[in-house]
C-alpha cells in the first residue's frame, strides 16, 4: 500500500558516499522535529530525472528555505557511488540538495512507491514523487501518474502547495 498524506513515514536506512567514506542515516533521523522535502525518482542519470526533476529543486531551493523547509532530500534506488557522481554532475550537491541512495529499495518498497521495468533493468525502482514531511508525517504528497514526465512532482508544483 502506497504512503498517503497524513501517514507517518516508515523508518529505513539510507546511504551515501561522503568525503570520508560511507555514511548512513535513517528516515527517522532525517525527519524528527524537522520540516523537509523528500523526493524520489526512477534513477540517477535517467533523462527526466536529470533534465527536469533534480533541476526543478535546484531552482526552487531558496524559495523552499524561505518558507521554512530545512532540507531537500533526493532518494533513488541506486548505489552510493552513482548517487555521489550524479549529485556532482547535476550540480545538486553543490546547490545543497542531499542525495541519498536506497540501494536495496528498502524505503521505496516500504512506502509502496516501487515498480519494475524488466526490459530496462529497473527492479524495485521508485515512482516519481515529492513530499513535504513534518516531524515524520507526510503533510503534502505529489505523485506522477504518467511515466517520463515531471509535471506535478517538480519543485515549482510542490512550492505552489505551500502558498
Amino acid at each position: 500500500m502506497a504512503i498517503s498524506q497524513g501517514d507517518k513515514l516508515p523508518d529505513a536506512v539510507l546511504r551515501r558516499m561522503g568525503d570520508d567514506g560511507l555514511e548512513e542515516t535513517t528516515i527517522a533521523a532525517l525527519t524528527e522535529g524537522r520540516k523537509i522535502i523528500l523526493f524520489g525518482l526512477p534513477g540517477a542519470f535517467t533523462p527526466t530525472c536529470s533534465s527536469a526533476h533534480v533541476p526543478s529543486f535546484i531552482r526552487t531551493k531558496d524559495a523552499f528555505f524561505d518558507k521554512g523547509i530545512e532540507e531537500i532530500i533526493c532518494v533513488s534506488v541506486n548505489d552510493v557511488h552513482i548517487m555521489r557522481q550524479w549529485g556532482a554532475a547535476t550540480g545538486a550537491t553543490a546547490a545543497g540538495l542531499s542525495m541519498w541512495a536506497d540501494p536495496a529499495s528498502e524505503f521505496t518498497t516500504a512506502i509502496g512507491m516501487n515498480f519494475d521495468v524488466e526490459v530496462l533493468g529497473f527492479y524495485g525502482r521508485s515512482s516519481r514523487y515529492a513530499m513535504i514531511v513534518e516531524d515524520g508525517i507526510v503533510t503534502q504528497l505529489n505523485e506522477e501518474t504518467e511515466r517520463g514526465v515531471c509535471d506535478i512532482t517538480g519543485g515549482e508544483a510542490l512550492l505552489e502547495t505551500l502558498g
Side-chain angles (χ1 to χ4, degrees), residues 2 5 15 21 23 42-43 49 51-52 67 70 73 84-85 89 97 102 107 112 119 122 126 128 134 145-146 152:
Q5 198 163 304
R15 296 169 176 86
E23 298 174 4
C49 301
S51 68
K67 293 195 178 275
E70 297 171 59
I73 300 165
R84 181 175 182 160
Q85 293 301 314
L97 275 60
D102 181 20
F107 175 69
V119 69
F122 280 8
S126 178
R128 191 177 308 284
E134 295 185 48
T145 56
E146 303 282 328
I152 61 173

CSV table of all heavy atoms in Angstrom, one decimal, residues 2 5 15 21 23 42-43 49 51-52 67 70 73 84-85 89 97 102 107 112 119 122 126 128 134 145-146 152:
chain,number,residue,atom,x,y,z
A,2,ALA,N,0.6,2.2,-0.9
A,2,ALA,CA,1.4,3.4,-1.0
A,2,ALA,C,1.1,4.3,0.2
A,2,ALA,O,0.0,4.4,0.7
A,2,ALA,CB,1.1,4.1,-2.3
A,5,GLN,N,-0.9,11.1,2.3
A,5,GLN,CA,-0.9,12.3,3.1
A,5,GLN,C,-1.5,12.0,4.5
A,5,GLN,O,-2.5,11.4,4.6
A,5,GLN,CB,-1.7,13.4,2.4
A,5,GLN,CG,-1.3,14.8,2.8
A,5,GLN,CD,-1.8,15.8,1.9
A,5,GLN,OE1,-1.5,15.8,0.7
A,5,GLN,NE2,-2.6,16.8,2.3
A,15,ARG,N,21.8,5.6,2.5
A,15,ARG,CA,23.3,5.6,2.4
A,15,ARG,C,23.8,6.6,1.4
A,15,ARG,O,23.1,6.9,0.4
A,15,ARG,CB,23.8,4.2,2.1
A,15,ARG,CG,23.5,3.2,3.2
A,15,ARG,CD,23.8,1.8,2.7
A,15,ARG,NE,23.6,0.9,3.8
A,15,ARG,CZ,22.4,0.3,4.1
A,15,ARG,NH1,21.4,0.6,3.3
A,15,ARG,NH2,22.3,-0.6,5.1
A,21,GLY,N,34.1,8.5,3.4
A,21,GLY,CA,33.6,7.2,3.2
A,21,GLY,C,32.1,7.0,3.3
A,21,GLY,O,31.4,8.0,3.2
A,23,GLU,N,28.4,6.9,4.5
A,23,GLU,CA,27.6,7.5,5.5
A,23,GLU,C,26.3,6.8,5.5
A,23,GLU,O,25.7,6.5,4.4
A,23,GLU,CB,27.4,9.0,5.3
A,23,GLU,CG,28.7,9.8,5.3
A,23,GLU,CD,28.5,11.2,4.9
A,23,GLU,OE1,27.4,11.7,4.7
A,23,GLU,OE2,29.5,11.9,4.8
A,42,PRO,N,12.9,7.6,-10.5
A,42,PRO,CA,13.3,6.3,-11.0
A,42,PRO,C,14.8,6.0,-11.0
A,42,PRO,O,15.2,4.8,-10.8
A,42,PRO,CB,12.7,6.2,-12.4
A,42,PRO,CG,11.5,7.1,-12.4
A,42,PRO,CD,12.0,8.2,-11.5
A,43,GLY,N,15.6,7.0,-11.3
A,43,GLY,CA,17.1,6.6,-11.4
A,43,GLY,C,18.0,7.7,-11.7
A,43,GLY,O,17.7,8.6,-12.5
A,49,CYS,N,14.8,12.5,-14.9
A,49,CYS,CA,15.3,12.8,-13.6
A,49,CYS,C,16.4,13.8,-13.6
A,49,CYS,O,16.5,14.7,-12.8
A,49,CYS,CB,15.8,11.5,-13.0
A,49,CYS,SG,14.6,10.2,-12.8
A,51,SER,N,17.2,15.9,-16.3
A,51,SER,CA,16.9,17.2,-17.0
A,51,SER,C,15.8,18.0,-16.5
A,51,SER,O,15.7,19.2,-16.7
A,51,SER,CB,16.6,16.9,-18.5
A,51,SER,OG,15.4,16.2,-18.6
A,52,ALA,N,14.9,17.4,-15.7
A,52,ALA,CA,13.7,18.1,-15.1
A,52,ALA,C,13.6,18.0,-13.6
A,52,ALA,O,13.5,19.0,-13.0
A,52,ALA,CB,12.5,17.5,-15.8
A,67,LYS,N,10.4,29.4,3.1
A,67,LYS,CA,9.1,29.0,3.6
A,67,LYS,C,9.3,28.0,4.8
A,67,LYS,O,8.3,27.4,5.2
A,67,LYS,CB,8.3,28.4,2.5
A,67,LYS,CG,7.8,29.5,1.5
A,67,LYS,CD,6.7,29.0,0.6
A,67,LYS,CE,6.3,30.1,-0.3
A,67,LYS,NZ,5.3,31.0,0.3
A,70,GLU,N,13.8,22.8,5.8
A,70,GLU,CA,15.1,22.8,6.4
A,70,GLU,C,16.1,22.0,5.5
A,70,GLU,O,17.3,22.2,5.6
A,70,GLU,CB,15.1,22.1,7.8
A,70,GLU,CG,14.3,23.0,8.8
A,70,GLU,CD,14.1,22.3,10.1
A,70,GLU,OE1,15.1,21.9,10.7
A,70,GLU,OE2,12.9,22.1,10.4
A,73,ILE,N,15.8,16.5,0.1
A,73,ILE,CA,16.4,15.2,0.0
A,73,ILE,C,15.9,14.5,-1.2
A,73,ILE,O,14.7,14.3,-1.3
A,73,ILE,CB,16.1,14.4,1.3
A,73,ILE,CG1,16.7,15.2,2.6
A,73,ILE,CG2,16.7,13.0,1.2
A,73,ILE,CD1,16.1,14.7,3.9
A,84,ARG,N,26.6,9.8,-5.7
A,84,ARG,CA,27.6,10.8,-5.5
A,84,ARG,C,28.0,11.5,-6.8
A,84,ARG,O,28.0,12.7,-6.9
A,84,ARG,CB,28.8,10.3,-4.8
A,84,ARG,CG,29.9,11.3,-4.5
A,84,ARG,CD,31.0,10.8,-3.8
A,84,ARG,NE,32.0,11.9,-3.5
A,84,ARG,CZ,32.9,11.9,-2.6
A,84,ARG,NH1,33.0,10.9,-1.8
A,84,ARG,NH2,33.7,12.9,-2.5
A,85,GLN,N,28.2,10.6,-7.8
A,85,GLN,CA,28.6,11.2,-9.1
A,85,GLN,C,27.4,12.0,-9.8
A,85,GLN,O,27.7,13.0,-10.4
A,85,GLN,CB,29.0,10.0,-10.0
A,85,GLN,CG,30.3,9.4,-9.6
A,85,GLN,CD,31.5,10.3,-9.5
A,85,GLN,OE1,31.7,11.1,-10.4
A,85,GLN,NE2,32.2,10.3,-8.5
A,89,ALA,N,27.4,15.7,-11.0
A,89,ALA,CA,27.1,16.0,-12.4
A,89,ALA,C,25.9,17.0,-12.6
A,89,ALA,O,26.0,17.8,-13.6
A,89,ALA,CB,26.9,14.7,-13.2
A,97,LEU,N,21.4,20.2,-2.2
A,97,LEU,CA,20.5,19.1,-2.1
A,97,LEU,C,21.2,17.9,-1.5
A,97,LEU,O,22.4,17.7,-1.8
A,97,LEU,CB,19.9,18.8,-3.4
A,97,LEU,CG,18.7,19.6,-3.9
A,97,LEU,CD1,19.0,21.1,-4.0
A,97,LEU,CD2,18.1,19.0,-5.2
A,102,ASP,N,19.0,4.5,-1.8
A,102,ASP,CA,18.2,3.5,-1.2
A,102,ASP,C,18.5,2.2,-2.0
A,102,ASP,O,17.7,1.7,-2.8
A,102,ASP,CB,16.7,3.9,-1.3
A,102,ASP,CG,15.7,2.9,-0.7
A,102,ASP,OD1,16.2,2.0,0.1
A,102,ASP,OD2,14.5,2.9,-1.1
A,107,PHE,N,13.4,1.6,1.6
A,107,PHE,CA,12.5,2.7,1.9
A,107,PHE,C,11.4,2.8,0.8
A,107,PHE,O,10.2,2.9,1.1
A,107,PHE,CB,13.2,4.0,2.1
A,107,PHE,CG,12.3,5.2,2.2
A,107,PHE,CD1,11.6,5.3,3.4
A,107,PHE,CD2,12.2,6.1,1.2
A,107,PHE,CE1,10.7,6.4,3.6
A,107,PHE,CE2,11.4,7.2,1.4
A,107,PHE,CZ,10.6,7.3,2.6
A,112,GLY,N,5.6,1.9,-0.6
A,112,GLY,CA,4.7,1.4,-1.7
A,112,GLY,C,5.0,2.2,-3.0
A,112,GLY,O,4.1,2.2,-3.9
A,119,VAL,N,12.6,-4.8,-19.0
A,119,VAL,CA,13.3,-4.6,-20.2
A,119,VAL,C,14.4,-3.5,-20.0
A,119,VAL,O,15.4,-3.5,-20.7
A,119,VAL,CB,12.3,-4.2,-21.4
A,119,VAL,CG1,11.7,-2.9,-21.1
A,119,VAL,CG2,13.0,-4.3,-22.7
A,122,PHE,N,15.2,-2.2,-14.6
A,122,PHE,CA,14.7,-1.4,-13.4
A,122,PHE,C,13.9,-2.4,-12.5
A,122,PHE,O,12.9,-2.9,-12.9
A,122,PHE,CB,13.7,-0.3,-13.8
A,122,PHE,CG,14.4,0.9,-14.3
A,122,PHE,CD1,15.7,1.0,-14.5
A,122,PHE,CD2,13.6,2.1,-14.5
A,122,PHE,CE1,16.3,2.2,-15.0
A,122,PHE,CE2,14.1,3.3,-14.9
A,122,PHE,CZ,15.5,3.3,-15.2
A,126,SER,N,12.0,3.5,-7.9
A,126,SER,CA,11.0,4.4,-7.3
A,126,SER,C,10.1,5.1,-8.3
A,126,SER,O,10.6,5.6,-9.4
A,126,SER,CB,11.7,5.4,-6.5
A,126,SER,OG,10.8,6.4,-5.9
A,128,ARG,N,8.0,8.4,-9.4
A,128,ARG,CA,8.3,9.8,-9.2
A,128,ARG,C,7.3,10.4,-8.2
A,128,ARG,O,6.1,10.4,-8.5
A,128,ARG,CB,8.3,10.5,-10.6
A,128,ARG,CG,8.9,11.9,-10.6
A,128,ARG,CD,8.9,12.5,-11.9
A,128,ARG,NE,9.5,11.6,-12.9
A,128,ARG,CZ,10.8,11.4,-13.1
A,128,ARG,NH1,11.7,12.0,-12.3
A,128,ARG,NH2,11.3,10.6,-14.0
A,134,GLU,N,6.7,16.7,7.9
A,134,GLU,CA,6.9,17.5,9.1
A,134,GLU,C,6.9,16.5,10.3
A,134,GLU,O,6.0,15.8,10.5
A,134,GLU,CB,5.8,18.5,9.3
A,134,GLU,CG,5.8,19.6,8.2
A,134,GLU,CD,4.8,20.7,8.4
A,134,GLU,OE1,4.7,21.2,9.6
A,134,GLU,OE2,4.1,21.0,7.5
A,145,THR,N,1.5,10.5,-12.3
A,145,THR,CA,0.6,9.4,-12.8
A,145,THR,C,1.1,8.9,-14.2
A,145,THR,O,0.8,7.8,-14.6
A,145,THR,CB,-0.8,9.9,-12.9
A,145,THR,OG1,-0.9,11.0,-13.8
A,145,THR,CG2,-1.4,10.2,-11.6
A,146,GLU,N,1.9,9.7,-14.9
A,146,GLU,CA,2.5,9.4,-16.2
A,146,GLU,C,4.0,9.1,-16.0
A,146,GLU,O,4.7,9.8,-15.3
A,146,GLU,CB,2.3,10.5,-17.2
A,146,GLU,CG,0.8,11.0,-17.3
A,146,GLU,CD,0.1,10.1,-18.2
A,146,GLU,OE1,0.7,9.5,-19.2
A,146,GLU,OE2,-1.1,9.9,-18.0
A,152,ILE,N,3.8,17.3,-11.8
A,152,ILE,CA,3.2,17.6,-10.5
A,152,ILE,C,4.2,17.3,-9.4
A,152,ILE,O,3.9,17.6,-8.2
A,152,ILE,CB,1.9,16.9,-10.3
A,152,ILE,CG1,2.0,15.4,-10.3
A,152,ILE,CG2,0.8,17.3,-11.3
A,152,ILE,CD1,0.8,14.6,-9.9
